[in-house]
Amino acid sequence: MNEPAHERTAHLDETGVRINAEQRLYGIAAVITSRREHAEICDALRPMLLPGRTCLHHYDETIDRRLSIAKVITRLTLEGALVVVETTAPRQQERARTRLLTELLPRLQHQECVDHVVLESRAGSDKHDRRTLDRLRRSRVVTASLRVDHVRKDATPLVWLPDFIAGSYFAAEHHGEPEPWALIAESHLIDVRTIRDGE
């Protein structure tokens, strides 16, 4: 991960899985890329779309398709990825998202040398992310030079990457589907961290 800051972007997306009636596992993946590789990454992912679809979404794919997509991802040039996970109550997803973004954004800027973060838009809920970013800037945890944008999932194939990586991790850990995650994790540097109460 030695790319200059002005060349590095992180694309983020969320996923989750119900553990039981009272607990849900919520996670956000951040995939770090060099902007000079973006065109090549997009060109590799677009052919994986099924007719009539505008984006790849891990949840919507069959097991065979997930394996095929994972094999394509293994060949991509990625700078690395982060996955942060927290156990939360089913109705506290927004709180968990705030906490995980508070963990991710400073690391992306200060440790991973990212200057642009792109999140999948959640329409009206994007205001919560902007509040989190404003709070981090006011407290000087991140600086104004960290640009953060929200885009629709069909805006760029780069947004499909964090969805697929997070989904593959959760499928391996909780749905007995280890193969796609194993392929991706063997091919790319991915740091997985569970955030616990008190951290």
Side-chain angles (χ1 to χ4, degrees), residues 4-197:
H6 66 277
E7 288 291 336
R8 302 184 107 198
T9 300
H11 288 80
L12 277 63
D13 200 9
E14 65 182 1
T15 193
V17 61
R18 183 178 293 276
I19 301 172
N20 53 48
E22 298 180 352
Q23 289 186 310
R24 179 176 175 80
L25 199 62
Y26 177 79
I28 298 178
V31 178
I32 303 165
T33 53
S34 166
R35 287 197 272 281
R36 65 185 177 189
E37 303 290 344
H38 283 186
E40 184 176 333
I41 292 170
C42 292
D43 288 346
L45 290 174
R46 282 194 187 100
M48 299 305 297
L49 282 174
L50 291 173
R53 291 194 184 174
T54 59
C55 61
L56 292 179
H57 192 286
H58 182 272
Y59 182 82
D60 295 332
E61 303 293 347
T62 65
I63 292 177
D64 288 344
R65 286 260 309 155
R66 289 173 182 173
L67 194 57
S68 296
I69 294 166
K71 289 176 180 177
V72 171
I73 292 174
T74 65
R75 299 192 293 268
L76 299 179
T77 303
L78 308 180
E79 298 295 304
L82 311 172
V83 180
V84 287
V85 177
E86 179 180 10
T87 301
T88 186
R91 296 182 182 273
Q92 293 184 343
Q93 178 173 314
E94 205 60 56
R95 172 190 170 277
R97 183 178 176 93
T98 295
R99 190 170 179 184
L100 297 187
L101 286 176
T102 298
E103 168 78 16
L104 273 171
L105 293 178
R107 175 168 174 183
L108 289 170
Q109 182 177 33
H110 301 303
Q111 296 182 40
E112 307 299 340
C113 299
V114 165
D115 71 335
H116 187 201
V117 171
V118 180
L119 301 100
E120 182 188 349
S121 176
R122 300 178 301 147
S125 296
D126 293 347
K127 63 186 178 183
H128 300 297
D129 294 347
R130 289 192 285 272
R131 286 176 189 154
T132 300
L133 178 62
D134 288 344
R135 180 174 55 81
L136 293 174
R137 284 175 173 161
R138 285 196 306 270
S139 61
R140 300 182 180 178
V141 176
V142 300
T143 71
S145 64
L146 180 67
R147 183 173 140 219
V148 177
D149 293 312
H150 290 82
V151 301
R152 289 176 22 165
K153 200 175 193 72
D154 59 2
T156 170
L158 290 155
V159 180
W160 309 344
L161 283 171
D163 168 89
F164 200 87
I165 287 177
S168 296
Y169 172 72
F170 275 38
E173 292 293 311
H174 300 281
H175 297 303
E177 187 185 322
E179 291 87 357
W181 170 251
L183 284 173
I184 294 169
E186 287 170 5
S187 303
H188 298 293
L189 180 62
I190 304 178
D191 183 9
V192 180
R193 182 175 179 211
T194 300
I195 307 298
R196 306 186 189 281
D197 288 340

